[in-house]
Amino acid sequence: MSLNVEWQRSDYSRVPYWLYHSADVYAREQEMIFRGPTWSYLCLEAEMPEPGDFRTTWVGDTPVLVSRDRDGTVHAMVNRCAHRGAAVCRHVRGNTKVHTCIYHRWSYDLTGNLIGVPFQRGIGGQGGMDEDFDKAEHGLRRLRVACYKGIIFGTFSDATEPLEDYLGPMMCAHISRLMCKPLRVLGYQRQRIHGNWKLYLENLRDTYHASLLHEFLVTFGLDRATQKGGVKMDVRHRHNLTYAHAGSDSDGDAKAAYGDHQLNSDKLTLRDPRLLEFRQEYEDDRNLAISTMFPNASFQQLNNSLATRQIQSKGIDAFDLIWTYFGYADDDEDMTDHRLRQLNLFGPGGLVSMEDAEAIEIAHRASRSEDASATTVIEVGGKGEISDRAYRVNDVPIRGFWSYYAELMGIEPEGAVR
Amino acid sequence: MIAVEARLAIDDLFADYGAHLDADRLEDWLELFVEDCVYQIVPRENAELGLPVTLMLCENKDMLRDRIVSLRQANEYSIHTDKHLISKVRIKGKAGDSYAVEANYAMYQADNEGNGSLYSFGTYVDEVVFTDDGPKFRAKTVIVDNWSIPHMLSTPI
């Protein structure tokens, strides 16, 4: 299968809308990206600390079982029985000694080896498998696994570079900052958004939208384009960090930039301002640091709300977003309550995040164009070179996303900007 | 034995609850709560795991007011119409002036082109108190069975 993409610009400042709406593109993404030479977020080690603990998840369309064996080593395998293709493990999490498919009770050990086939020799010499059936050839398909600072990643490809090289210094620094202490998982939120998964990856890389779409942020001064901040990327521009410093602008600065009609801060105050309180936890005073890891995750700090987000593609027209919230094991009760209160800012009903789902759904619906030449415009912060920005009004990392996407998909234009 | 009058008043409280939300009368809906109230929406997954993360957590009536002010003036969300179907309430017990009340709900949602679906279903696990102004919610916990939220969550359930 080959894709013929006519890029109008080699710097990805024009992306054809049909790339969000094509079954051929989607199938190729599964092969070249999710099952290709990338590391995907799987889950947190804190979710499965004990031998025998497991978690099931998805990498793109592929069901994955993450399992901790008796030695404490983490394994990941395709959660699909070698016999008839049924999901071996039907639970999201748990603890077990052996994973058994309910269909014909084939069973697998904690590392994915096939260890049991009922009636393999038949009954009374009749039925069962031929002599040459070898269980060793029918284990679950394994992913390579690597852990970094308590986060478990997996890849299907032998060609994927080592995890820390893939993440690069920028992402390693961000993850190290966020995962600086043992974690305590506080719980989950899930939502299904009816739009193409790439729209969300782009949304996370778009600093331009944040303080325009999310009026709450601007109104209450949590995140304004007038604040000190910007975007950083890895050398290949596949990952992105958006950061900002609270209190680095004044209401006056913001007013001058936005104009009175778009800024309600004189009229609106919270009756319970604890929601916005920022308790500095790290050496720097960043109150917002949200990274995006290609192809399926985001790691966030906004004030004291900490979470990972996982993106699971569900066909061309939908994806699931799973938010895993955490604090630190040494948080006292007051700090835990504070984090739980700030949860109101995020998730499907978050005061500063609910709009993303709506923006993605209206973009997805309205861009289903028959016209192959119709494109989106991505040039806030300038065209051409893809590089970091020390200011907030830009969407340059979206072009970074497309440049790495095009490379993996084998659809780069001539003279492509990387 | 719960007095018939109390039972009927609690029935009315739940009827008003659904009717106010469905008519987008969020400010009237707010007045069904006492000042010292807790309103939360909880994914059933977390409830079963004993994990504290909610989808919405208002620890007092001021936080509910803030949520409504924000929805009215500082949020953009899907244009929709809701319809709550609330089951007969089950009064589980009475302790002092407080009634432990549960009811199941189903909430349908339609968009502005007339397409709709079952948006949310689950259980209300509530504490109702009688004030001089009739019964009010002191605590309302919405436990959502279909906890993978379709689209987004804006107006309360």
Side-chain angles (χ1 to χ4, degrees), chain A residues 269-274, chain B residues 13 25-40 56-70 129 131 133-140 156:
Chain A
T269 50
L270 290 179
R271 295 181 63 134
D272 192 333
R274 293 178 301 169
Chain B
L13 176 67
R25 291 190 300 263
L26 300 180
E27 292 76 8
D28 294 334
W29 172 82
L30 179 68
E31 295 313 316
L32 303 178
F33 292 83
V34 297
E35 283 296 328
D36 181 23
C37 66
V38 176
Y39 173 84
Q40 54 184 340
M56 200 184 286
L57 171 64
C58 295
E59 297 165 295
N60 52 55
K61 197 167 173 178
D62 276 342
M63 287 183 77
L64 271 178
R65 287 189 182 95
D66 289 341
R67 177 64 76 159
I68 291 169
V69 167
S70 183
V129 291
T131 70
D133 195 23
K136 307 273 183 194
F137 292 107
R138 179 183 282 161
K140 188 159 196 86

Side-chain angles (χ1 to χ4, degrees), chain A residues 250-264:
Chain A
S250 69
D251 284 359
D253 296 337
K255 256 200 161 85
Y258 282 89
D260 287 347
H261 64 290
Q262 283 189 36
L263 200 73
N264 292 321

Side-chain angles (χ1 to χ4, degrees), chain A residues 191-195 199-200 203 213-214 319 348 353-366, chain B residues 75-80 109 111-112 150-154:
Chain A
Q191 74 188 113
R192 175 157 297 184
I193 297 176
H194 296 264
L199 289 166
Y200 194 71
N203 175 275
L213 174 67
H214 304 303
F319 64 93
S353 65
M354 69 170 78
E355 289 89 2
D356 288 326
E358 176 68 0
I360 283 162
E361 292 191 357
I362 60 177
H364 188 81
R365 279 204 297 275
Chain B
N75 288 117
E76 301 286 350
Y77 48 89
S78 59
I79 301 167
H80 66 265
Q109 201 167 72
D111 67 18
N112 58 347
H151 314 289
M152 63 185 298
L153 173 65
S154 51

Side-chain angles (χ1 to χ4, degrees), chain B residues 1-20:
Chain B
M1 186 73 179
I2 306 296
V4 172
E5 290 76 10
R7 186 177 291 280
L8 291 174
I10 291 171
D11 277 348
D12 286 348
L13 176 67
F14 275 77
D16 287 345
Y17 182 94
H20 286 330

